[in-house]
Amino acid sequence: MKPHILILGAGFAGHTAALHLSYLVRDKADVTVVAPNNRFTWFPSLVWVGTGTMREEETVFALKPVYDKIGVAYVDARAKIINLGTQTVTVEDAAGTPSDIHYDYLVNATGPYLNFEGTPGLGPATGNTTSICTVEHAVQTRERYLEVVRAAQAGKRGRIVVGVGHPAATCEGAAFEFLMNVHADLKQRRVRELIDLTWLTNEPDFGDFGVDGIEALRGGVLVRGASPVRMLLDEANVQAIAGAGVTRVEPGRVHYERVGDEPGSIAFDLAMLLPQFRGIPMQYIDATGTDVTAAMTLPSGFMRVDADYEPKTYEAYRANDWPALYRSPSHDNVYAVGIAFAPPHPISKGKKTGSGLAVVASPPRTGMASGIMGRTVAENIAMQVDGKTPNHHARMSEMPAACIASMGKSLWSGSAATIIMTPVVRDFERFPKYGRDVSLCDLDVGLNGAWTKRLLHSAFLWKLQAKPGWQLIPE
Amino acid sequence: MGLFWRRFLPLQIWRFLTLNVKMYRIARGWIGPGQGPHEKS
């Protein structure tokens, strides 16, 4: 009987793992993906859905036809219980009907739980803010945004606040993209002067993006990300507040504490604030039937893997703290990738407000990083299926990342920041001066970024649908 | 970089080509920090 590889989740990490396993273990193992909604979402383009410059249909595709094509089974359900003793996962379909699926190898790629309740008053369902974390959220944001635009077109001034809604939130880059797209769209609609825009972020400084900043050599001179980001915010006439931890949101007003400053609040007509991410709530059971969730995960709900989770200060952070294989230390057939794995610590330096509130940008690990992890785990599981010891590694301290931050979708008048980091997490042992290979890092702002963002949208939707030649497009 | 250069078409075409080639080479692992099929570091 062939071994069974079970992948929980079909985001960047899980879906990429499924694509690569489809040919790596062809005829040697069966692969099944469990994910709800039969839908893949290309999240990087939701910033355009939120401003009404892209239709939501252009950012999604159905998963099942893709899996049918590449010989992977698909189950439309959510994972609830991982039984490590019997090697089964209890899943629930949309109707709430449970069933058990056996696995020989398990990949937890369940992505984030959007912790809106972590901040009182935050969120689109029961709170007072919107988000662009899902297609539905982005559509809801668009409707609210267009109301503000219509009011401005009728001559009414408005206030839009964009940023993160929790002191330990992540994905500041995506929120920044949305901010700059709102600015570009308002300009195009000729109502920019009637709308006050505010950037509210938990980053210790502008351009940190949760990765301890970005930099590049320009004519032999090191340019740090804070300078161009400040310049862009100034040019766009955005009120910018860094080091801010949002504490609560009332209808029309967001309250925050700020590092090195008094607490403050801002009035808004629309607030798009990203929530904190936590692990998807799942129960882990061992062979004796004991609940071992606390041992398998951190309090954040993310799964422990081969990282060094010893608490340490920012100065003591090391490149090798980060996981290499993304494998559970106690179960060598269980992996966690993408947002589902527990990072050992932040990448950025956390700070505290006067009241002692810790404000720290959590590590982003979406997009390219998630894709690389998914591929790496697929390669390692394929080695295990062949009876070999897995040796593919992709620490975030040896992993590159390219990020295109859109600042207007138009291919003629749009713009974007192109950011290349090598590696994502600084490694001062390999690169003593800056922790990164700054000769390869890049930071560019211009029209060319708008072209690249559109190119990546089309290329990756091609790749992720396993269309001919998809393997030529790297993660 | 000033607004003029961010819109200057020849420079933007050049940057589009060079940056995308660089990103492709890094993503392929041909250059860069070196994750891949090696002994665990």
Side-chain angles (χ1 to χ4, degrees):
Chain A
M1 193 172 156
K2 289 193 279 190
H4 187 214
I5 303 165
L6 184 59
I7 301 170
L8 308 178
F12 285 108
H15 186 62
T16 304
L19 287 176
H20 286 285
L21 281 166
S22 71
Y23 65 89
L24 287 170
V25 298
R26 188 186 297 275
D27 303 327
K28 296 182 206 161
D30 295 320
V31 182
T32 300
V33 174
V34 172
N37 304 327
N38 186 23
R39 184 177 73 181
F40 181 91
T41 305
W42 176 249
F43 292 101
S45 295
L46 292 185
V47 293
W48 292 333
V49 175
T51 50
T53 48
M54 179 175 272
R55 287 180 297 113
E56 55 271 32
E57 298 83 23
E58 294 177 67
T59 63
V60 296
F61 62 82
L63 287 166
K64 190 165 187 318
V66 178
Y67 292 143
D68 286 347
K69 182 165 61 179
I70 61 175
V72 168
Y74 171 70
V75 177
D76 189 342
R78 288 177 196 274
K80 292 291 177 186
I81 302 168
I82 297 175
N83 194 320
L84 300 156
T86 58
Q87 296 196 165
T88 55
V89 175
T90 304
V91 303
E92 263 182 27
D93 65 15
T97 310
S99 58
D100 286 348
I101 305 175
H102 173 77
Y103 68 83
D104 295 292
Y105 300 94
L106 181 67
V107 181
N108 175 3
T110 44
Y113 172 75
L114 306 176
N115 186 33
F116 289 110
E117 55 269 38
T119 307
L122 189 77
T126 58
N128 308 300
T129 61
T130 66
S131 128
I132 50 167
C133 292
T134 67
V135 175
E136 290 74 19
H137 289 176
V139 168
Q140 201 177 359
T141 297
R142 178 182 68 202
E143 301 311 316
R144 284 285 304 122
Y145 169 69
L146 292 178
E147 280 175 29
V148 175
V149 168
R150 280 193 290 271
Q153 285 166 337
K156 182 174 177 279
R157 290 197 69 82
R159 291 204 64 141
I160 297 178
V161 178
V162 177
V164 294
H166 189 279
T170 183
C171 284
E172 292 80 5
F176 181 75
E177 271 192 90
F178 182 71
L179 171 85
M180 299 310 285
N181 272 274
V182 165
H183 164 70
D185 187 63
L186 291 173
K187 257 176 74 179
Q188 198 162 6
R189 294 175 191 268
R190 300 181 188 282
V191 290
R192 176 65 185 89
E193 67 281 4
L194 284 169
I195 307 283
D196 294 327
L197 266 182
T198 301
W199 172 234
L200 188 62
T201 178
N202 60 350
E203 299 159 278
D205 195 2
F206 302 114
D208 180 275
F209 295 130
V211 291
D212 202 24
I214 48 178
E215 60 278 291
L217 285 176
R218 276 273 170 276
V221 178
L222 191 80
V223 177
R224 293 191 188 276
S227 315
V229 170
R230 275 204 198 94
M231 177 193 76
L232 292 168
L233 291 167
D234 283 347
E235 277 180 9
N237 193 24
V238 171
Q239 179 195 8
I241 302 167
V246 171
T247 50
R248 65 192 164 94
V249 186
E250 295 170 352
R253 185 165 285 275
V254 55
H255 296 264
Y256 61 88
E257 288 187 23
R258 193 176 179 195
V259 174
D261 206 346
E262 295 296 310
S265 69
I266 315 165
F268 64 82
D269 298 294
L270 166 67
M272 197 300 288
L273 299 173
L274 298 182
Q276 181 198 30
F277 289 174
R278 292 177 62 86
I280 294 284
M282 284 192 295
Q283 194 180 15
Y284 295 79
I285 306 283
D286 73 1
T288 64
T290 308
D291 186 331
V292 291
T293 307
M296 289 293 292
T297 62
L298 292 191
S300 58
F302 298 122
M303 200 182 106
R304 286 174 183 270
V305 289
D306 54 323
D308 179 357
Y309 293 109
E310 192 68 32
K312 53 185 75 170
T313 60
Y314 174 80
E315 288 71 24
Y317 291 172
R318 293 290 174 268
N320 281 359
D321 296 342
W322 290 80
L325 304 179
Y326 301 91
R327 188 161 71 164
S328 164
S330 53
H331 298 79
D332 67 7
N333 60 341
V334 178
Y335 292 81
V337 284
I339 293 173
F341 90 87
H345 45 64
I347 305 171
S348 296
K349 188 170 188 173
K351 293 184 177 174
K352 288 192 173 175
T353 64
S355 73
L357 177 71
V359 178
V360 55
S362 294
R365 43 207 190 278
T366 52
M368 185 170 180
S370 281
I372 291 173
M373 289 175 212
R375 186 195 65 215
T376 302
V377 163
E379 289 166 332
N380 281 335
I381 291 176
M383 290 186 79
Q384 284 185 283
V385 168
D386 285 339
K388 298 174 185 165
T389 304
N391 67 0
H392 290 260
H393 58 90
R395 295 185 197 273
M396 285 183 72
S397 51
E398 55 191 9
M399 184 191 291
C403 173
I404 315 298
S406 167
M407 296 187 288
K409 180 171 169 259
S410 166
L411 295 178
W412 181 245
S413 61
S415 181
T418 302
I419 299 160
I420 299 174
M421 288 171 280
T422 56
V424 179
V425 173
R426 294 181 194 276
D427 182 347
F428 285 100
E429 285 168 26
R430 284 181 69 189
F431 309 109
K433 199 164 182 186
Y434 301 111
R436 290 192 182 127
D437 183 352
V438 291
S439 66
L440 283 179
C441 291
D442 221 315
L443 182 54
D444 187 84
V445 180
L447 178 61
N448 76 82
W451 302 339
T452 301
K453 179 92 179 173
R454 285 293 286 275
L455 174 71
L456 294 185
H457 174 95
S458 302
F460 276 94
L461 284 177
W462 182 278
K463 172 194 172 85
L464 295 165
Q465 291 177 82
K467 291 186 176 176
W470 70 267
Q471 285 153 295
L472 294 173
I473 303 168
E475 280 65 44
Chain B
M1 194 192 290
L3 204 55
F4 172 78
W5 295 110
R6 282 184 252 158
R7 293 258 168 274
F8 185 57
L9 219 48
L11 177 66
Q12 294 306 313
I13 293 168
W14 171 248
R15 291 298 284 161
F16 175 76
L17 294 173
T18 54
L19 280 169
N20 276 282
V21 167
K22 186 178 185 178
M23 281 191 283
Y24 191 85
R25 293 175 70 203
I26 289 174
R28 275 265 169 243
W30 297 338
I31 55 171
Q35 86 287 353
H38 312 293
E39 287 307 308
K40 187 177 169 185
S41 56

